[in-house]
């Protein structure tokens, strides 16, 4: 019988486990150690406090030490660092960081939830940089905000274009600071694929942010006032935010001899037990199964950590509940846009050698005749043979969260792309269309599966033009926004009249603005025995990619 549980680390995983343990038992003794001062805070809200969207700092505190201790009858010891796990004795060695006292604490079961820490590479000059910050917790937030409030920097560099990097860039920009984002990869927001990230690149630049891609930091000079990039570019800055990722806080587990996975996370089984059955682990510190492809990954997200904390608590108290893994469903605000993902992106599926198909659609967020409809750029990745959904990505100003959440739910339920056509979603003109974007994605995928639609992707267009004819079926006025070079313009309404002028001895590729009229043109030409393919996603997808060309020659298409 478990009489005492010790928890190392609060926030999402540890705090949720503590609360669940108490709900399951009034008798078990629960001791929670937190190295810092705060046991439960809204880490996802930290950039918005710096940007002053969140005005009251207290709003970031989800649970105070006093409040949570009283509400759940917990022993909470902040400023207490667990130095060592003594597995044979079932004790932990703890240091009180305020008094320096070191003592032992016994446990029947131990739960590790230390989280992850920012990656800080050994860059020349980084040690002398007194204007460089990382963002992980409330003390970090206080330091950054105080620096901005007191020093009033005019220029900032954000190193890293992930979720936190983009959110920090937005909030620094909101404070009136001239912001530059430096990203080593060819795109921001790694969970989305390149052509989807191109929509974000355009929007970020439109907001006045300087975006430096495929470049990294070589050195900091003059105590961080200047940054030298790998290509020799020099950037002047008053403040730098380093946001290139996080790594699991695995030192405690490693010293205790617990198994560590190849990605650096603690290895746990389906019950969230480590290789010591009396020790559990949850949150950013563990490796979890990617449900789509079965690989082990790190996923530093609050939602999964909360669920893991609950499940671990259930199992500590004798239940047998399994944690099956993650889809990686996540969402972020990027200025006026929302970007959300679920499942695997095309890069991952392709790298693993899994056969797949892709589609892009750009439907309105709600009925077009109701004012305010805005496009949603939606990508779906699926198995052409089985209809299994591998993942989805969406970008837009509204309605993005709903569509990704629906697709994530469909994936959890094992639904296929055909099932997406039958999902019954709430409809009224201010909220959706009679054919919701999720339904539309299902229709297009079903057409691909049945052979009623054959298409090429954005990265295949330039090669396809060499031996084929590209036809633009949009209206004349639409060409003002641009067109695929060398494309022949035949509006859809005139296509049937021009059939005798078109070659049957070479491939034909048709496109419109977003894909729908291109599909109609495809069917017309297909019925008339032409060798035809539709350009997936139309001009909107291709144009996003084309506007982000770096001019560098690639040996092969990269997605």
């Amino acid at each position: 019988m478990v009489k005492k549980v010790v928890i190392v680390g609060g926030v999402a995983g540890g705090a949720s486990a503590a609360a669940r343990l108490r709900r399951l038992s009034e008798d078990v003794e629960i001791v929670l150690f937190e190295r810092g001062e705060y046991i439960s805070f809204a880490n996802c809200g930290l950039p918005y406090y710096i940007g002053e969207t969140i005005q009251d700092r207290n709003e970031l505190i989800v649970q105070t030490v006093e409040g949570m201790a009283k509400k759940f009858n917990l022993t909470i010891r902040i400023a207490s660092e667990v130095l060592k796990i003594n597995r044979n004795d079932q004790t932990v060695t703890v240091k009180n960081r305020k008094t320096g006292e070191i003592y032992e604490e016994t446990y029947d079961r131990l739960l590790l939830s230390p989280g992850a820490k920012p990656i800080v590479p050994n860059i020349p000059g980084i040690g002398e940089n007194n204007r460089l910050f990382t963002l992980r917790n409330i003390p970090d937030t206080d330091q950054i905000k105080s620096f901005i409030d007191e020093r009033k920097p005019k220029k900032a560099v954000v190193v890293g274009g992930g979720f936190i990097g983009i959110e920090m860039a937005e909030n620094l920009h909101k404070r009136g600071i001239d912001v530059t984002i430096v990203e080593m990869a060819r795109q921001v927001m790694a969970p989305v694929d390149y052509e989807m990230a191109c929509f974000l690149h355009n929007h970020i630049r439109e907001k006045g942010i300087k975006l430096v891609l495929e470049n990294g930091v070589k050195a900091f000079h003059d105590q961080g006032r200047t940054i030298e990039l790998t290509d020799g570019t020099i950037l002047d800055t008053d403040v730098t935010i380093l946001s290139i990722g996080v790594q699991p806080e695995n030192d405690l587990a490693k010293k205790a001899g617990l198994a560590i996975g190849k990605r650096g996370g603690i290895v746990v089984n389906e019950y969230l037990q480590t290789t010591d059955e009396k020790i559990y682990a949850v949150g950013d510190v563990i490796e979890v199964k990617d449900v789509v492809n079965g690989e082990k990954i790190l996923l530093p997200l609050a939602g999964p950590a909360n669920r893991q904390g609950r499940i671990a608590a259930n199992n500590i108290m004798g239940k047998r509940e399994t944690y099956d893994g993650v889809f990686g469903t996540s969402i972020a605000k990027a200025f006026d846009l929302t970007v959300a993902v679920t499942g695997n992106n095309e890069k991952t599926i392709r790298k693993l050698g899994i056969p797949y198909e892709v589609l892009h659609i750009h439907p309105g967020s709600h009925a077009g005749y109701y004012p305010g409809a805005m496009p949603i750029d939606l990508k779906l990745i699926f198995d052409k043979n089985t209809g299994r959904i591998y993942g989805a990505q969406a970008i837009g100003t509204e309605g993005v969260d709903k569509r990704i959440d629906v697709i994530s739910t469909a994936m959890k339920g094992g639904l296929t792309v055909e099932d997406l056509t039958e999902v019954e979603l709430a409809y009224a003109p201010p909220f959706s269309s009679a054919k919701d974007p999720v339904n539309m994605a299902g229709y297009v995928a079903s057409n691909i599966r049945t052979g009623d639609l054959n298409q090429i992707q954005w990265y295949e267009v330039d090669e396809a033009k060499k031996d084929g004819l590209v036809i633009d079926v949009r209206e004349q006025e639409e060409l003002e926004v641009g067109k695929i070079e060398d494309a022949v313009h035949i509006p859809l309404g005139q296509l049937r009249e021009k059939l005798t002028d078109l070659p049957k001895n070479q491939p034909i590729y048709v496109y419109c603005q977003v894909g729908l009229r291109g599909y109609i043109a495809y069917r017309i030409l297909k019925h008339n025995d032409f060798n035809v393919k539709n350009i997936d996603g139309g001009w909107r997808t291709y144009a996003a990619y084309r506007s982000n060309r770096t001019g560098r020659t690639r040996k092969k298409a990269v997605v």
Side-chain angles (χ1 to χ4, degrees):
M1 181 178 178
V2 175
K3 295 182 178 180
K4 183 177 181 180
V5 179
V6 168
I7 300 173
V8 180
V11 197
S16 65
R20 179 61 176 169
L21 284 166
R22 180 55 69 220
R23 291 195 296 272
L24 292 174
S25 171
E26 274 293 304
D27 300 322
V28 65
E29 181 183 357
I30 305 167
V31 181
L32 191 154
F33 291 108
E34 171 55 50
R35 183 170 55 189
E37 297 289 328
Y38 304 92
I39 58 163
S40 185
F41 59 90
N43 43 7
C44 296
L46 301 181
Y48 300 99
Y49 174 64
I50 294 169
E52 298 187 332
T53 298
I54 298 172
Q55 297 281 332
D56 186 352
R57 181 178 179 278
N58 290 328
E59 294 293 331
L60 298 173
I61 310 299
V62 178
Q63 294 276 1
T64 64
V65 173
E66 297 78 11
M68 189 167 184
K70 186 174 182 179
K71 184 185 296 183
F72 295 104
N73 187 23
L74 308 175
T75 299
I76 299 176
R77 298 176 189 164
I78 58 173
S80 297
E81 183 175 6
V82 176
L83 303 176
K84 184 180 179 183
I85 301 170
N86 310 298
R87 291 167 55 187
N88 292 336
D89 300 330
Q90 287 185 223
T91 66
V92 292
T93 303
V94 185
K95 179 179 180 180
N96 185 315
R97 301 182 73 184
K98 292 183 177 179
T99 67
E101 176 193 3
I102 296 177
Y103 62 95
E104 306 289 312
E105 189 78 34
T106 63
Y107 66 82
D108 292 325
R109 296 292 183 272
L110 177 65
L111 176 65
L112 302 178
S113 181
K117 58 185 176 182
I119 295 171
V120 181
N122 187 23
I123 299 171
I126 198 168
E128 295 78 45
N129 190 341
N130 57 12
R131 55 192 69 219
L132 174 75
F133 301 93
T134 58
L135 181 62
R136 180 195 179 195
N137 52 36
I138 287 182
D140 294 341
T141 308
D142 291 338
Q143 289 182 18
I144 296 171
K145 193 168 189 302
S146 294
F147 186 94
I148 294 170
D149 292 345
E150 296 168 10
R151 306 280 285 273
K152 296 183 172 26
K154 291 181 170 57
K155 293 183 178 181
V157 172
V158 176
V159 182
F163 282 29
I164 297 297
I166 297 299
E167 290 170 352
M168 278 303 304
E170 176 183 351
N171 283 281
L172 292 172
H173 178 72
K174 188 177 179 183
R175 294 292 302 268
I177 302 171
D178 183 11
V179 180
T180 299
I181 299 172
V182 176
E183 170 55 57
M184 188 174 291
R186 68 193 291 248
Q187 66 168 86
V188 300
M189 295 286 193
V192 303
D193 288 309
Y194 175 72
E195 79 282 12
M196 298 296 285
C198 288
F199 292 107
L200 297 173
H201 297 167
N202 293 337
H203 182 68
I204 289 168
R205 289 174 176 133
E206 287 169 2
K207 289 296 178 179
I209 305 299
K210 299 177 184 69
L211 187 58
V212 180
L213 299 173
E214 297 184 88
N215 219 335
V217 176
K218 182 178 180 181
F220 294 101
H221 301 292
D222 193 18
Q223 294 183 320
R225 291 181 178 87
T226 59
I227 300 175
E228 181 183 356
L229 302 185
T230 51
D231 68 351
T233 300
I234 300 295
L235 300 176
D236 295 324
T237 185
D238 300 313
V239 60
T240 300
I241 306 296
L242 189 62
S243 181
I244 60 174
V246 296
Q247 57 190 6
E249 290 262 26
N250 63 13
D251 289 346
L252 193 60
K254 192 180 293 185
K255 291 175 182 176
L258 301 178
I260 304 296
K262 63 181 180 180
R263 299 184 181 277
I266 299 173
V267 173
V268 294
N269 63 15
E270 66 268 35
Y271 303 109
L272 299 171
Q273 290 171 302
T274 68
T275 43
D276 184 326
E277 64 179 13
K278 292 181 173 62
I279 303 176
Y280 294 72
V282 298
D284 300 354
V285 76
I286 68 171
E287 293 189 358
V288 293
K289 185 178 76 172
D290 183 319
V291 176
V292 175
N293 61 50
E295 297 285 314
K296 292 291 185 178
I297 62 171
L298 298 171
L299 191 74
L301 293 174
N306 271 285
R307 288 191 294 277
Q308 292 159 14
R310 178 186 175 91
I311 291 171
N314 287 345
N315 292 331
I316 286 171
M317 298 310 295
K319 297 178 182 289
R320 298 291 283 175
E321 183 177 353
T322 60
Y323 185 74
D324 298 327
V326 295
F327 289 108
T329 307
S330 55
I331 191 167
K333 182 178 182 293
F335 296 87
D336 298 333
L337 292 179
T338 301
V339 53
V341 302
T342 189
N344 285 183
N345 56 31
E346 187 176 358
K347 290 174 291 193
T348 300
I349 292 293
R350 193 177 197 187
K351 182 179 179 180
L352 293 172
I354 300 172
Y356 70 94
E357 283 288 339
V358 161
L359 65 87
H360 300 79
I361 59 174
H362 307 280
S365 54
H366 58 250
Y369 58 82
Y370 187 87
M374 297 295 289
I376 294 176
D377 302 303
L378 177 61
K379 177 176 184 175
L380 189 72
I381 305 114
F382 61 99
D383 186 330
K384 183 177 180 179
N385 294 321
T386 66
R388 183 190 176 195
I389 304 166
Y390 290 140
Q393 303 158 35
I395 298 172
T397 57
E398 63 177 45
V400 167
D401 52 345
K402 170 183 175 179
R403 275 68 191 208
I404 289 297
D405 283 345
V406 169
I407 295 174
S408 176
T409 304
M411 292 171 66
K412 177 63 177 175
L415 303 187
T416 65
V417 293
E418 281 81 11
D419 293 318
L420 294 184
T421 69
E422 300 180 9
V423 172
E424 187 175 324
L425 301 172
Y427 160 62
F431 306 106
S432 184
S433 300
K435 291 180 181 177
D436 188 87
V438 172
N439 302 134
M440 293 172 65
Y443 289 130
V444 176
S446 297
N447 285 337
I448 293 171
R449 291 235 305 135
T450 58
D452 291 332
L453 173 60
N454 198 356
Q455 59 183 18
I456 64 170
Q457 291 299 316
W458 55 272
Y459 53 83
E460 299 175 296
V461 171
D462 293 340
E463 188 67 27
K465 289 191 300 181
K466 294 178 181 179
D467 64 351
L469 175 67
V470 178
I471 299 178
D472 186 329
V473 299
R474 296 175 297 167
E475 298 302 314
Q476 181 65 42
E477 59 269 22
E478 293 179 89
L479 303 186
E480 295 179 6
V481 301
K483 72 182 188 73
I484 295 175
E485 188 177 354
D486 300 326
V488 175
H489 179 228
I490 305 176
L492 180 61
Q494 301 175 25
L495 184 60
R496 289 184 178 87
E497 303 167 14
K498 304 284 188 178
L499 291 178
T500 56
D501 299 332
L502 300 179
K504 289 195 173 183
N505 61 347
Q506 69 179 123
I508 295 177
Y509 306 96
V510 294
Y511 76 96
C512 62
Q513 186 66 20
V514 296
L516 178 58
R517 285 170 293 169
Y519 172 63
I520 296 172
Y522 168 87
R523 296 307 303 167
I524 292 171
L525 294 172
K526 191 71 174 177
H527 284 307
N528 284 276
D529 298 323
F530 287 92
N531 177 14
V532 60
K533 292 183 180 181
N534 189 29
I535 298 176
D536 179 41
W539 168 253
R540 184 173 175 87
T541 298
Y542 181 80
Y545 143 72
R546 193 176 76 164
S547 66
N548 281 266
R549 285 177 178 171
T550 63
R552 301 185 184 187
T553 302
R554 298 196 304 277
K555 293 182 179 180
K556 62 180 181 179
V558 180
V559 298

